[in-house]
Amino acid sequence: MRTSIAKRVLSLTAVFAAAGLVSASVVAQEKAQSLDQLLQMVRSSKVAESKEHRQREAQFRRQKANQQTLLTQAKNTRASEEARSAQLEEKYKEQELLVQQKRQQLDERMGSLKELFGHLTSTTGDLRATLSTSLVSAQYPGRTEFLDQLISKMDSATKLPTIEEIERLWYELQRETVESGRVVKFTGTVIKPDGEQVEQEVVRVGNFNLVSNGKYLELIDGSKMAELVRQPSSKFQSEAANLQSATSGFTAFGVDPTGPTGGSYLKAMINSPSMVERWHQGDIVGYIITAVGAFAMLLAIWRLIVLSGMSARVSAQLRSSTPNTNNPLGRVLAVAEENRGVDGETLELKMEEAVLKERPAIESGLNLLKIIAMVAPLLGLLGTVTGMIVTFQAITIFGAGDPKAMAGGISSALVTTVLGLCVAIPTVLMHTIVNGRAKRILHILEEQSTGIVAENAERK
């Protein structure tokens, strides 16, 4: 019976341990050998747990006291900060009134000088914008830094420019005016198209142009000089070289009148595409129009040469009484000689047949020139339409925010129309000239054949 009771106690101990009611140390110990030993083990475990619980309760009491202390400190801090905030607000109001009084006092003391400083501010801003694009800044860099400092000082509304700063502003205005009318040489750093920086002599023509070693320069970042990637024609480059080597007298030089405003005319001139570049803008349709136009010119020149030689031989035949078969008129007269004894109607038919045989050789190529003259403008229109389609597709994808891109696409599309007209107009002129030569020869043949038929009818 004692054994069964011991087993039940051990099972209850395991259940209590699983529920957390008995310390794990009891379960972890060896199994009791008797009920007395088990009872002793449970008693010692309760004593250890009671000690642990007392320690935890003491720790909780200390933490609660600390939290109460922290809460009291937080309340005290908030009260002190609120009192400090109220003091600062009162002080801010007092200082704001003091600032208003000082500003009113400043306005009263400045009087008419306030308007003067307003004009000074606007003048400084205008001069700053002018110097940032002035070519004189390439020779005298760093002028805008002083103006930036002066502008920031006057914008602060608490500082006024000194007499020295006002005098320097006046000096910079005068120097810009004087230097804008001078042609001077100075040494500066020039950025080459490949990025290399070279120290070389530079000639500044007022505020219009910068040249060096026969090359035109541009101003970048307000003070740096860079050689233009594309230069104007060789004529202007040679004039720039002559100006740099000149020591006195007058020298012809191409001046950009828009230089003070950034040199827009020079940039537009050198950035405008050349004839070859415009021709390439026509793309495939442009190449086809060019090929057709070249073929038309060659055909017209060849037919003009052939008809000129033929006309010369026909004119020689008119002065000769003996038929010569090296020209159409001679061959027509030979037919008349062969049919001298026939009746008038037969001779007329023979002569008409001879003239008809000569007509294809005389009019050869005329219809082709006429067709080319008609087709060339149509090809140009085709290129323009396809180019406009591509341009509007780009607008659909990228939008119409860049007018330059739209203008460039439309300009490229219109190149084919120009090419078509450039081919059609001279082709029409050449067709007219060649057709006139051919008609002159045919008129002589018809005139001579009709005369022969009339003479034969008179003899009958």
Side-chain angles (χ1 to χ4, degrees):
M1 183 175 179
R2 290 170 65 104
T3 304
S4 61
I5 293 173
K7 290 181 178 179
R8 290 180 181 177
V9 171
L10 289 174
S11 62
L12 288 174
T13 304
V15 172
F16 290 158
L21 300 177
V22 181
S23 176
S25 61
V26 177
V27 182
Q29 294 177 359
E30 296 181 357
K31 294 182 179 180
Q33 300 298 326
S34 62
L35 290 175
D36 295 335
Q37 188 177 0
L38 177 60
L39 182 60
Q40 185 65 31
M41 291 171 61
V42 172
R43 182 179 297 172
S44 61
S45 174
K46 288 184 177 180
V47 171
E49 288 180 356
S50 299
K51 184 179 180 181
E52 182 179 356
H53 291 333
R54 287 194 296 272
Q55 291 176 353
R56 290 181 179 176
E57 288 176 358
Q59 183 179 0
F60 289 157
R61 292 191 185 97
R62 289 193 299 270
Q63 290 180 353
K64 183 178 180 180
N66 292 335
Q67 290 178 354
Q68 186 64 34
T69 303
L70 293 175
L71 179 60
T72 304
Q73 292 178 355
K75 290 181 178 179
N76 295 334
T77 302
R78 185 182 66 177
S80 62
E81 291 298 328
E82 289 178 352
R84 181 171 172 269
S85 175
Q87 293 177 358
L88 291 176
E89 288 180 357
E90 293 295 331
K91 188 175 181 180
Y92 174 78
K93 292 179 180 179
E94 293 176 359
Q95 291 181 348
E96 187 176 8
L97 293 175
L98 182 61
V99 169
Q100 292 178 357
Q101 293 175 1
K102 294 296 183 182
R103 287 179 177 174
Q104 185 177 1
Q105 185 180 1
L106 177 62
D107 293 339
E108 291 175 356
R109 291 186 177 182
M110 287 183 63
S112 60
L113 292 179
K114 187 175 182 181
E115 184 178 356
L116 172 63
F117 286 118
H119 290 297
L120 185 65
T121 302
S122 62
T123 302
T124 305
D126 295 341
L127 182 61
R128 172 65 177 81
T130 301
L131 296 187
S132 62
T133 58
S134 174
L135 300 184
V136 181
S137 298
Q139 184 179 358
Y140 303 104
R143 297 187 297 171
T144 57
E145 297 176 359
F146 159 72
L147 296 176
D148 291 336
Q149 296 175 359
L150 186 58
I151 291 174
S152 61
K153 184 176 183 179
M154 290 187 292
D155 288 342
S156 64
T158 58
K159 297 180 181 179
L160 296 177
T162 62
I163 297 298
E164 291 77 10
E165 291 173 338
I166 297 175
E167 289 178 349
R168 184 174 177 184
L169 176 63
W170 173 249
Y171 170 75
E172 293 295 343
L173 281 169
Q174 292 297 317
R175 181 164 69 167
E176 178 68 17
T177 304
V178 173
E179 293 294 334
S180 297
R182 297 177 59 191
V183 178
V184 296
K185 296 181 181 179
F186 64 95
T187 302
T189 303
V190 178
I191 303 175
K192 296 293 184 178
D194 57 359
E196 181 184 3
Q197 298 185 5
V198 181
E199 291 285 337
Q200 59 190 34
E201 185 182 59
V202 179
V203 178
R204 177 176 58 82
V205 183
N207 202 10
F208 297 96
N209 287 105
L210 292 170
V211 294
S212 178
N213 296 339
K215 303 292 184 180
Y216 280 75
L217 310 179
E218 65 176 341
L219 187 69
I220 57 176
D221 296 335
S223 60
K224 297 180 181 179
M225 295 176 290
E227 187 177 304
L228 292 173
V229 178
R230 295 184 60 178
Q231 295 287 331
S233 62
S234 57
K235 171 188 175 183
F236 296 105
Q237 295 184 42
S238 61
E239 290 178 353
N242 295 334
L243 177 64
Q244 186 169 357
S245 61
T247 57
S248 62
F250 294 94
T251 304
F253 179 76
V255 176
D256 181 10
T258 61
T261 60
S264 56
Y265 180 76
L266 177 61
K267 292 179 181 179
M269 184 177 67
I270 63 178
N271 290 329
S272 59
S274 61
M275 295 296 295
V276 177
E277 291 173 340
R278 289 190 182 277
W279 176 65
H280 285 297
Q281 289 177 352
D283 206 15
I284 299 177
V285 178
Y287 301 150
I288 295 174
I289 295 174
T290 304
V292 171
F295 173 75
M297 288 298 102
L298 293 176
L299 176 62
I301 293 173
W302 176 66
R303 290 305 303 166
L304 188 61
I305 294 173
V306 170
L307 292 176
S308 297
M310 188 182 297
S311 179
R313 290 191 295 271
V314 168
S315 298
Q317 181 64 56
L318 288 174
R319 295 189 296 268
S320 175
S321 58
T322 303
N324 192 346
T325 57
N326 66 348
N327 63 90
L329 180 58
R331 290 188 288 272
V332 171
L333 295 178
V335 172
E337 290 291 334
E338 292 174 358
N339 298 275
R340 183 178 294 274
V342 299
D343 59 285
E345 185 177 354
T346 302
L347 180 60
E348 183 180 0
L349 294 176
K350 290 290 184 179
M351 297 300 292
E352 288 181 359
E353 180 184 4
V355 173
L356 289 175
K357 286 182 179 180
E358 298 296 335
R359 185 181 290 273
I362 296 173
E363 295 181 344
S364 176
L366 291 177
N367 290 332
L368 187 56
L369 287 176
K370 185 184 294 185
I371 292 173
I372 292 175
M374 295 173 60
V375 170
L378 297 179
L379 287 174
L381 181 60
L382 173 63
T384 299
V385 173
T386 54
M388 293 297 293
I389 291 174
V390 173
T391 301
F392 284 114
Q393 286 178 347
I395 293 175
T396 303
I397 297 173
F398 302 105
D402 190 0
K404 292 184 179 180
M406 293 176 53
I410 296 173
S411 176
S412 300
L414 294 176
V415 167
T416 54
T417 300
V418 175
L419 290 175
L421 295 176
C422 290
V423 169
I425 293 173
T427 303
V428 170
L429 294 177
M430 294 300 293
H431 174 267
T432 303
I433 296 173
V434 174
N435 188 43
R437 294 290 180 91
K439 285 186 175 181
R440 176 180 177 275
I441 296 174
L442 290 174
H443 177 73
I444 293 175
L445 295 181
E446 292 175 356
E447 181 183 10
Q448 293 297 319
S449 62
T450 303
I452 292 172
V453 172
E455 290 179 358
N456 185 53
E458 290 177 356
R459 287 195 299 267
K460 296 295 185 178

